[in-house]
Structure formats: structure tokens, C-alpha cells
Amino acid sequence: MSDAPSQITEPARTGSSEFDRDTAVRTRESGVHEALLSPGWAIGKALNGGYLLAVLGRALRQALPHPDPFTITAHYLTATVAGPATIRTSMARSGRTVSTASAGLFQTDDRGREIERIRVLATYGDLGALRDDVRTSAKPPAMPPREQCFRATDHPDGDAAVPEMGRRLDLRLDPDTCGWALGAPSMRGEIRAWLELADGRAPDPLSLLMAVDALPPTGFDLGLTGWVPTVELTVHVRARPAPGPLRVAITTRNLAGGYLEEDAEVWDSADRLVAQSRQLARA
Amino acid sequence: MSDAPSQITEPARTGSSEFDRDTAVRTRESGVHEALLSPGWAIGKALNGGYLLAVLGRALRQALPHPDPFTITAHYLTATVAGPATIRTSMARSGRTVSTASAGLFQTDDRGREIERIRVLATYGDLGALRDDVRTSAKPPAMPPREQCFRATDHPDGDAAVPEMGRRLDLRLDPDTCGWALGAPSMRGEIRAWLELADGRAPDPLSLLMAVDALPPTGFDLGLTGWVPTVELTVHVRARPAPGPLRVAITTRNLAGGYLEEDAEVWDSADRLVAQSRQLARA
């Protein structure tokens, strides 16, 4: 991994964890931001879509008058590689309680041309200003305690089974949704896991953008092999998560025509449904 | 309703139904389109979000090299009124199987300023080119036959209970999800209905964009009164629908902090899950 240039600085309130360093964004001028994308968040050759969304989410936080993504959609146009990236943001509307903007992540290709890799549309607000009432009828996923769940390194192949991004996470899979890892997918299209960052950084709205795309793909549990690239990902962040481990449950119910949808729910340690997402992926 | 100006023309393949006339888009020049939004699709004072998404969807179809929305997201910035609107589209990427673009719907306010009402990000493809394999594990909603379902005019208030948009539709609600209309919401946050266009026009990918937002709000079934405005709506169109009545099922599981998510599934007469959507709305 290349050294982070000294001119990438962070506002005081973000921390020094891996996640914060690797999602750091420097605002060069109004609407123009720079990032150095880290190979530490790769799955094979490609950078993880949720990690990239978190980087874009940080740029939008710096561009907008409201701090938290309420609803954010990314369309992944071409594969993003590790290294420098420019993010351009443009405001659509700045209101009292919410504001909306577009963003694009650009990289220079080997011919020196600037190529748009990802385009985003998002509405931000202040999660801390929301009312306290919670009438969520959904229930947290039924899962064994973390200690009884499997880490990727528990796999017979050990360390070789872990994608690079896996080393940034403390991810523990529900044994009931691990069959695919031993050649026996359940064919239900479900995966559940406990999730923390490997260095213990507490979750926040930006890390939730990564969390919804941090699990192995449901495609594996449907017997699909190979890559299931994300076409589009939309995340609703509904509350600031409490500190402590998250539970992430992903499901697919509509694998058809060469595409699938993958829904994710993220529950925090206070049993709050803090984020919901859906992505459209190519099977 | 004002007369449609004669300069609004449609490509030959769209029909002359109410839906087609009211979603007609004229492409003035590359990236600039005009529409005349019809008060026939209002709910109270506001034009229905799904109807507006269909208008934007038609503009994008005309702007892009692929005909069908695969995944489309709209952020509703300020209320859109009946009358003229300009839609500006800008391509992000044109690929072999899919292409991606942004769009904005603008109207002139009473001071003559152009205001952006809605911003959209969408990826289009060719639904007719998708593989035939269907491994959908989701099941169509259990509903009584259409003849046993209730129309809005069955309500004791009769015609007065029907919002203007309701007259464009043949909407028949599952009696099990009608309690709210008689002051007894089930509090489950579910509504199911059979849906056709009142003039019998067959469904297509663009009318599916309207269908996902055509039912009364789940908020009513949760005991909420008053308006539940849509902040953002994302629709996945997964197949061209077969002719005949659609079944639409909407559910809310996360009403909290003054916001709710509303998920919609649209099933066609061949029992295919043709569209899935999620919207974030302010309760």
C-alpha cells in the first residue's frame, strides 16, 4: 500500500482508525475533493463497493450542510482501482432539515483521461435531530452469540480464504449460513454475520455504508460461483448506531434473468435497525 | 385539465392511452426534453411520485441507447405541480448492455426562476435481452380474486373518497388491508391490491414505475393520518410484465424517528416478480 500523502487531512472529529484513514477525503475547493483509495479494501482485484460508497459519503458530508446520509444511491460504472481519485459534488437543493446532492468519483486511466467510475445521488440530514419514537415492527435476526460464529480464518484453507478486505474486519458468520464455504450452499440465499472493524473502531453512519456490502455475496449461498458485481446500491441510514458489534443479515429473493437483488439489514447492539439497503447485482 | 399542446409528440410505438398521453415527452434537443404534467395524477394538491417517475423514465428512454429502466432512483426536492416541465438528461456511461444517466425535472416558479423539483439517477438496459432463467424464491402475495376486492368507490363516502389519480386506475384493495379506510387500521403496515389502468392499457416497464407508488400509503395502515411525502424512491424493473392485471403488495417494517421505508413488490399475471421498489418517506 502506498504512503498516504501528507496533504490528505481530516477534520478533527474523525479518528485515526484504518477505516478513517482509508476513507479520508480532502476538500480542495468547493465541489472538488480528493481521496487515496486503499488496496486494503479489495475483494480480489476490485475495491469493495461499500468501502467506495463510504469514501463518497465522506465527501458528501464535507460538501453538504447536513452531516448524515439519510438515503444514498450509487451506480457503479466501471471498476475502481486503488490509488488517487477525484470526487466532484454538486448540490441539488439545500433545505432546512435535509439537503440533496450528486457526486461522481473519477480516476485517470492509463491514457491520462479522466473516467467516471461511480455516480451517486444522496439526501443528507441530521440523524441526531430525529424524534425518539421507534415503531419498528422488524425483528433482529436470530443468530448464535459471536463466540459461536465462524471467522474466515476458521475455514480449512485458513488465511488463503480471506479476501484482503476481510483483514480490515472482524466478521463472524452464522454457522447456519456458512454451508457454501464448504461446498454445500443452502440455496436459501441468506447470509448473517456479526461485524466489527478489526481495529475496534465504533460504527458510525459512514461505516454503515460499508457494512451493508461487507459480507460474502448471497450468490455464494445460491450456488453461484464467480463474481457478482454490483450495478447499483441504495442505503437508508436510519439512526446513529450504538457502539459495539453490528449484526448484518443479507437476503436474495429474486434471482432471475442474470440479475439478483440483495437486501441488507444492519442492527446495532441496542437492537435498533440502523440501516437498510438493496443492491442490484449481475449474477 | 388543460389541453395538451399540439407540439408534444410521441414516438410511434407508444399508445394513446391516458397514461401515455400524460407521460408524453418531447425531446427538443440532445439532453433537453419537455413534458406537460397532468393534474389527472394528483393526490390532493401534489402530483403522484410514481407518475412523475414514469415521465422522467420516458425522457431517459429517449435519451439513452437502451429502452428499459433496470434501476432508477428519484429524490423529490420540492413539490411538482401540473403544467409544463423541462427534463434535462446527462449521460454518465454508455456501455454495451447497460447505460447510466442522470436527469432533473425543472419547473418555472411564479418569479420566473427555474427550480429543480426532482433529481434522478438511472441505469437502463434491454429487458428483452435477458436470460430466461427465473430462480425467484419470493412468492406472489396471497390475495382474494379481483372480484372480491374493494374499489375506492365501494367506500361509504363513495366518489368523494377517491383522489384524482384514483380515476386513472382500476385499483381493487384486498379487504384484509382496508381496515384503515373505515377507521380501523390493522397496524401491520401492509396494503395489497390488484391494479390496472382504468382505460385497460397493458402494463409495461414505464407504467411499473407508476405502479409501485399507486397504492394508498402504508402509513394509513399504521394509524398515521395526513401526508407521507416521498423523499426518495428506487425501483428495480426486472422483467417486462405480461398483459393483464398486476398485484401490488406494499409493506413498512421500520417506522422510526419520523421516517418510514415502504417496500413494494409488483407481480404480473404470469406470477413473475416484475418490479421491486423501496421508498423513504417522511411520516
Side-chain angles (χ1 to χ4, degrees), chain A residues 75-86:
Chain A
H75 285 234
Y76 298 85
L77 311 175
T78 69
T80 305
V81 298
T86 300

Side-chain angles (χ1 to χ4, degrees), chain B residues 8-253:
Chain B
I8 303 270
T9 56
E10 273 295 277
R13 68 181 178 282
T14 58
S16 58
S17 82
E18 279 189 309
F19 175 79
D20 292 308
R21 289 199 313 267
D22 294 343
T23 60
V25 168
R26 183 177 74 97
T27 298
R28 185 149 50 92
E29 62 192 67
S30 173
V32 184
H33 320 266
E34 291 175 355
L36 187 68
L37 304 177
S38 165
W41 298 84
I43 309 278
K45 297 202 178 106
L47 294 182
N48 172 260
Y51 160 68
L52 295 170
L53 186 61
V55 176
L56 280 144
R58 197 181 292 285
L60 282 160
R61 171 155 54 192
Q62 291 178 12
L64 288 171
H66 298 95
D68 302 311
F70 273 22
T71 169
I72 180 166
T73 292
H75 285 233
Y76 297 85
L77 311 176
T78 68
T80 305
V81 298
T86 299
I87 295 167
R88 303 183 188 284
T89 53
S90 71
M91 180 92 69
R93 178 173 185 268
S94 176
R96 189 176 55 82
T97 58
V98 294
S99 48
T100 302
S102 298
L105 185 149
F106 297 82
Q107 290 186 310
T108 304
D109 72 1
D110 45 20
R111 294 190 205 174
R113 297 173 304 185
E114 197 180 63
I115 308 288
E116 187 171 12
R117 304 290 197 200
I118 306 170
R119 186 172 286 198
V120 164
L121 177 55
T123 290
Y124 273 51
D126 183 352
L127 288 168
L130 296 183
R131 302 201 304 255
D132 271 346
D133 63 303
V134 179
R135 290 180 51 189
T136 305
S137 63
K139 296 293 171 221
M143 288 170 61
R146 292 171 71 219
E147 301 71 37
Q148 296 173 23
C149 291
F150 292 159
R151 293 186 228 199
T153 45
D154 293 330
H155 190 274
D157 293 347
D159 218 52
V162 184
E164 182 55 36
M165 174 172 171
R167 304 176 200 287
R168 312 280 84 77
L169 308 173
D170 181 351
L171 184 70
R172 306 190 194 197
L173 299 171
D174 181 342
D176 193 43
T177 66
C178 280
W180 53 269
L182 299 166
S186 80
M187 304 309 255
R188 290 192 312 259
E190 300 176 352
I191 302 187
R192 293 181 290 275
W194 292 92
L195 176 64
E196 288 192 282
L197 288 162
D199 63 10
R201 176 204 192 269
D204 76 343
L206 288 185
S207 74
L208 290 180
L209 302 182
M210 178 277 301
V212 299
D213 194 46
L215 269 56
T218 51
F220 287 177
D221 192 52
L222 290 166
L224 304 178
T225 55
W227 200 28
V228 187
T230 303
V231 174
E232 168 264 325
L233 169 62
T234 294
V235 189
H236 291 180
V237 181
R238 299 295 308 275
R240 291 186 180 151
L246 302 171
R247 279 156 293 170
V248 185
I250 60 177
T251 54
T252 290
R253 296 164 66 245

